[in-house]
Amino acid sequence: MELATFVDRLDEELRTDDYADLDASANGLQVGPDEGEVEHVAFAVDGVRATFERAVEADADALVTHHGLSWGGFDRVTGRTYDRIEPLLSNDLALYVSHLPLDGHQELGNAAGVADVLDLEDRAPFGELGPEYIGQRGTAVEPDTVDGLRERLQSGLETGGRPVRVLEFGPDEIEEVAIVTGSGTDWLAEAEAVGADALITGEGKQKAYHEAREAGIHVFLAGHYATETFGVRALQDLVEGWGLETSYFEEPTGL
């Protein structure tokens, strides 16, 4: 498959252009030639030297990641920045990145993957960001408890054996769940507004403790990396359906 065709297909599926003014990440093809062929695609959460080197060792033509290299551009490509990019350029490895578009995709996205783990029903977009959404919410098939929901997250997410932390300020029974993966505690007010009993995200902020306490909502902190493996894995399945060879590389951070 031509690289340009590969990029166009992903951009269309993920609606990359719709997030252009909302995301600090330069989504889409971040590194790559104008022309090229793609037969083997690697996938990883983070676009870093470790995953670049593993993709090169696997003889991949392109690497698709959730977190990329460019968050507003580079001042200089020197030092550590040069060392990180060098494996891509030396080996003609293209880098495709999808940050918020992959968070917000209601079928292939990270929040959708967490909702799948919890078997949530009556799902709807959640996590407003301008005209778009970066999360999902839904209703539990049966009311759950803090311990029950925590156990399901720990068994269904790649937490590396680390416990899921919980700010326990919500009701005894959890029915309505809101999800924004990664760093999503800024959407606590929206979770309260939609009547959520719990907000699931990756990592917290200091102010989230008192905001959750005052709102009467549980906040589950399941790990930034752990909550954001779903999107790239779903894209891997999609790309395999296009007839391309794929690989997936785990580089968990424990954060």
Side-chain angles (χ1 to χ4, degrees):
M1 181 182 294
E2 292 184 356
L3 177 61
T5 300
F6 176 76
V7 170
D8 287 345
R9 284 191 179 187
L10 286 179
D11 282 345
E12 181 179 1
E13 176 64 44
L14 295 163
R15 297 193 300 112
T16 300
D17 289 346
D18 293 341
Y19 287 81
D21 296 329
L22 305 175
D23 200 347
S25 172
N27 297 307
L29 185 66
Q30 284 196 357
V31 178
D34 291 333
E35 298 181 356
E37 293 291 324
V38 177
E39 295 180 358
H40 183 179
V41 184
F43 295 81
V45 174
D46 297 314
V48 293
R49 188 174 181 91
T51 55
F52 298 161
E53 290 177 344
R54 293 182 68 178
V56 169
E57 290 174 3
D59 199 26
D61 304 302
L63 174 67
V64 175
T65 68
H66 180 50
H67 302 129
L69 291 167
S70 178
W71 302 89
F74 303 106
D75 293 326
R76 303 175 190 275
V77 182
T78 60
R80 187 149 40 88
T81 301
Y82 178 86
D83 290 341
R84 178 174 283 186
I85 294 174
E86 187 272 334
L88 299 173
L89 302 180
S90 296
N91 297 278
D92 292 326
L93 177 64
L95 176 66
Y96 184 96
V97 176
S98 187
H99 184 232
L100 294 186
L102 190 52
D103 284 325
H105 198 290
Q106 295 298 297
E107 295 179 1
L108 304 176
N110 288 313
V114 176
D116 287 342
V117 168
L118 301 177
D119 297 320
L120 299 183
E121 298 181 326
D122 300 325
R123 300 186 195 182
F126 175 80
E128 288 189 29
L129 188 65
E132 300 295 338
Y133 292 88
I134 58 171
Q136 193 171 93
R137 62 185 174 93
T139 304
V141 176
E142 295 182 358
D144 211 339
T145 63
V146 167
D147 289 342
L149 190 56
R150 175 164 40 201
E151 175 58 32
R152 295 175 71 186
L153 289 171
Q154 287 181 178
S155 62
L157 274 59
E158 299 174 22
T159 64
R162 292 172 175 80
V164 173
R165 300 176 60 195
V166 186
L167 304 178
E168 298 187 35
F169 297 121
D172 293 338
E173 291 190 341
I174 299 171
E175 296 185 76
E176 301 300 322
V177 178
I179 306 166
V180 174
T181 61
S183 180
T185 55
D186 287 343
W187 282 268
L188 262 167
E190 184 180 344
E192 179 184 14
V194 300
D197 303 312
L199 171 67
I200 297 173
T201 188
E203 62 188 28
K205 298 180 179 179
Q206 168 69 17
K207 65 177 184 177
Y209 179 92
H210 290 291
E211 290 179 348
R213 186 178 185 181
E214 292 165 4
I217 294 177
H218 300 298
V219 178
F220 289 75
L221 306 174
H224 197 127
Y225 181 94
T227 58
E228 297 200 325
T229 63
F230 296 97
V232 286
R233 284 191 176 277
L235 288 181
Q236 181 183 11
D237 291 340
L238 177 70
V239 168
E240 283 184 355
W242 297 347
L244 299 177
E245 181 184 356
T246 68
S247 301
Y248 177 76
F249 301 124
E250 295 183 9
E251 287 289 341
T253 64
L255 302 173

